[in-house]
């Protein structure tokens, strides 16, 4: 497998603001790669640097092994899908999709044939004659996808493409996007601030914070072995044990992460440590039980069928050694 996009110590500064701060990254060809981070962490700037709309202040980007400064944006084998779709409101759906071919001087019959084919691929056959205003949000998003794919990019950049959709449609589109990516075999670079979305769709995820890549790994690695407290908090709702609490629970004085689903509640004195049930949150299939341990609380995800200890009662907390993960930074 070759490297589709490589960041070599890339920074982008705006006056005093450092949007991207010395990023090294390799995105493999054919990968579904997510960039996950909070608002303002530099994700969109990374995409803009890959597409060529913007340039690094220092460092280099390579696209399929070629230094990007040698490839003008319109010659890069890359296209972008934006959150707001950016469809042309005055053009029919078919002409929106075919636009990239029009720009390249492709004749009308071939343009329309290709556009029809792509509409079929995104499950919108028969919608070509409609105007964008006559479509739902999910349908507009599919048109934007078809339009971005018509020039056969080798890399598709997706900037929060599902952000404007409601939850149900979002989940449906997540599946469809993943299937589409697998059948096309092209590289997707997907920007999101939604942890669940990144975990469920990606082959690998880069966690971005304050312009830096904090951790890169498979969804399992990121979820189970967060490298820093930031990752542990940001991806899922991990418990983070201070070195002091960790030392009381497991004898190791180190920052430790612990997923709520691995914590088992029992009778007082039966586990590693005792605490008082502070609150119980009903989540449907499970309950999230917060247990107070002096300064800190630890959350446990308990099957809703289990009889939970009432708020105010004392319980023990237990977990296996392999369920706790030591973090190599604070
Ligand atoms: P969001 O999820 O909100 O879209 P993001 O992670 O994509 O955020 P960026 O849009 O890349 O973040 O912005 C990173 C930082 O760079 C922000 O602090 C932003 O204010 C700053 N920034 C981005 N573009 C510019 C610009 N043209 N001029 C000045 N500052 C900018």
């Amino acid at each position: 497998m070759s490297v589709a996009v490589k960041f070599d110590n890339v920074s982008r500064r705006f006056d005093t603001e450092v949007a991207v701060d010395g990023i090294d990254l390799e995105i493999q060809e054919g990968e579904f790669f997510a960039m996950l981070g909070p608002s303002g962490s530099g994700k969109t700037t990374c995409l803009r640097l890959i597409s060529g709309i913007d340039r690094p202040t220092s460092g280099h980007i390579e696209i399929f092994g070629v230094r990007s400064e040698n490839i003008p944006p319109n010659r890069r084998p890359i296209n972008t899908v934006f959150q707001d779709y950016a469809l042309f409101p005055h053009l029919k759906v078919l002409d929106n999709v075919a636009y990239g071919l029009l720009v390249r001087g492709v004749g009308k019959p071939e343009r329309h044939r290709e556009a029809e084919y792509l509409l079929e691929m995104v499950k919108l056959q028969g919608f070509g004659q409609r105007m964008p205003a006559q479509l739902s949000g999910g349908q507009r998003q599919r048109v934007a996808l078809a339009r971005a794919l018509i020039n056969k990019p080798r890399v598709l950049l997706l900037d929060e493409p599902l952000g404007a959709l409601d939850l149900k449609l979002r989940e449906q589109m997540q599946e469809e996007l993943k299937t589409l990516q697998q059948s096309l075999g092209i590289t997707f670079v997907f920007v999101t601030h939604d942890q669940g979305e990144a975990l469920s769709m990606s082959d690998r995820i880069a966690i971005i914070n304050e312009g830096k890549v904090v951790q890169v790994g498979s969804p399992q690695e990121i979820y189970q072995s967060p490298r820093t407290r930031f990752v542990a908090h940001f991806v899922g709702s991990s418990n983070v044990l201070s070195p002091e609490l960790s030392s009381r629970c497991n004898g190791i004085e180190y920052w430790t992460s612990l997923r709520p689903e691995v914590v088992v509640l029992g009778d007082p004195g039966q586990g590693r440590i005792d605490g008082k049930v502070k609150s119980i949150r009903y989540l449907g299939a499970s309950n999230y039980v917060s247990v107070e341990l002096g300064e800190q609380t630890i959350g446990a995800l308990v099957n809703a069928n289990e009889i939970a200890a009432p708020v105010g009662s004392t319980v023990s907390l237990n977990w296996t050694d392999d369920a706790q993960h030591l973090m190599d930074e604070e």
Side-chain angles (χ1 to χ4, degrees):
M1 221 196 300
S2 63
V3 176
V5 179
K6 181 174 175 185
F7 279 58
D8 182 5
N9 198 16
V10 171
S11 294
R12 175 64 169 110
R13 290 179 203 91
F14 298 100
D15 303 324
T16 52
E17 177 99 31
V18 188
V20 171
D21 192 0
I23 285 187
D24 290 309
L25 198 62
E26 286 191 355
I27 301 171
Q28 305 294 327
E29 185 167 17
E31 237 184 345
F32 197 121
F33 191 90
M35 290 187 164
L36 173 65
S39 183
S41 55
K43 308 179 297 291
T44 298
T45 304
C46 284
L47 290 195
R48 290 167 59 84
L49 296 174
I50 298 172
S51 70
I53 301 175
D54 198 1
R55 283 167 167 262
T57 320
S58 60
H60 300 283
I61 292 178
E62 283 181 14
I63 294 162
F64 293 103
V66 180
R67 287 273 277 262
S68 67
E69 51 269 38
N70 299 327
I71 330 172
N74 60 347
R75 301 294 295 273
R76 298 184 188 190
I78 292 172
N79 218 332
T80 308
V81 178
F82 300 97
Q83 176 177 356
D84 60 4
Y85 320 139
L87 298 178
F88 301 119
H90 58 288
L91 291 185
K92 287 180 195 158
V93 164
L94 193 71
D95 294 325
N96 258 288
V97 176
Y99 188 77
L101 296 183
L102 176 75
V103 172
R104 281 168 43 194
V106 175
K108 196 168 179 177
E110 192 186 334
R111 270 195 334 254
H112 282 184
R113 206 169 41 243
E114 267 303 298
E116 295 279 10
Y117 170 72
L118 278 158
L119 282 174
E120 201 178 309
M121 192 189 302
V122 297
K123 299 188 190 158
L124 280 180
Q125 54 270 56
F127 283 74
Q129 297 309 310
R130 291 207 195 177
M131 301 305 281
Q134 297 170 304
L135 301 177
S136 71
Q139 290 166 341
R140 270 181 230 167
Q141 183 53 268
R142 291 201 186 100
V143 175
L145 253 179
R147 192 180 61 171
L149 290 170
I150 204 156
N151 284 334
K152 301 192 169 55
R154 292 176 74 187
V155 178
L156 190 66
L157 309 176
L158 302 108
D159 194 355
E160 300 263 0
L162 310 180
L165 306 180
D166 65 44
L167 183 65
K168 186 122 181 66
L169 197 53
R170 211 180 155 98
E171 286 172 354
Q172 185 191 335
M173 283 298 291
Q174 285 172 7
E175 276 191 45
E176 286 183 16
L177 265 184
K178 180 77 190 165
T179 310
L180 191 67
Q181 188 265 343
Q182 282 169 340
S183 66
L184 292 170
I186 63 178
T187 310
F188 274 29
V189 184
F190 187 95
V191 156
T192 181
H193 59 258
D194 182 319
Q195 310 86 297
E197 193 160 281
L199 290 172
S200 68
M201 298 173 81
S202 322
D203 297 314
R204 285 194 311 148
I205 301 171
I207 308 285
I208 318 262
N209 190 31
E210 295 178 346
K212 293 192 171 72
V213 171
V214 193
Q215 187 170 1
V216 184
S218 68
Q220 292 78 5
E221 283 164 353
I222 299 275
Y223 185 78
Q224 286 164 8
S225 313
R227 205 166 67 78
T228 68
R229 286 164 67 192
F230 171 80
V231 179
H233 279 304
F234 192 68
V235 183
S237 52
S238 206
N239 295 299
V240 172
L241 279 58
S242 67
E244 186 270 329
L245 180 60
S246 179
S247 137
R248 271 162 60 205
C249 295
N250 57 38
I252 305 169
E253 199 171 339
Y254 226 82
W255 288 99
T256 304
S257 75
L258 191 66
R259 293 282 159 202
E261 59 272 26
V262 302
V263 180
V264 180
L265 303 184
D267 292 332
Q270 301 292 305
R272 291 172 183 256
I273 194 163
D274 285 355
K276 192 177 270 185
V277 176
K278 189 171 137 198
S279 65
I280 301 174
R281 205 146 40 92
Y282 178 63
L283 300 174
S286 54
N287 286 324
Y288 186 87
V289 183
S290 292
V291 180
E292 216 166 2
L293 300 160
E295 300 277 278
Q296 269 202 273
T297 55
I298 288 188
L301 213 51
V302 180
N303 194 315
N305 296 328
E306 284 176 35
I307 299 164
V311 172
S313 63
T314 302
V315 291
S316 66
L317 296 143
N318 208 1
W319 58 87
T320 56
D321 280 345
D322 58 2
Q324 61 195 14
H325 177 74
L326 304 186
M327 293 183 286
D328 61 1
E329 288 176 34
E330 286 197 359

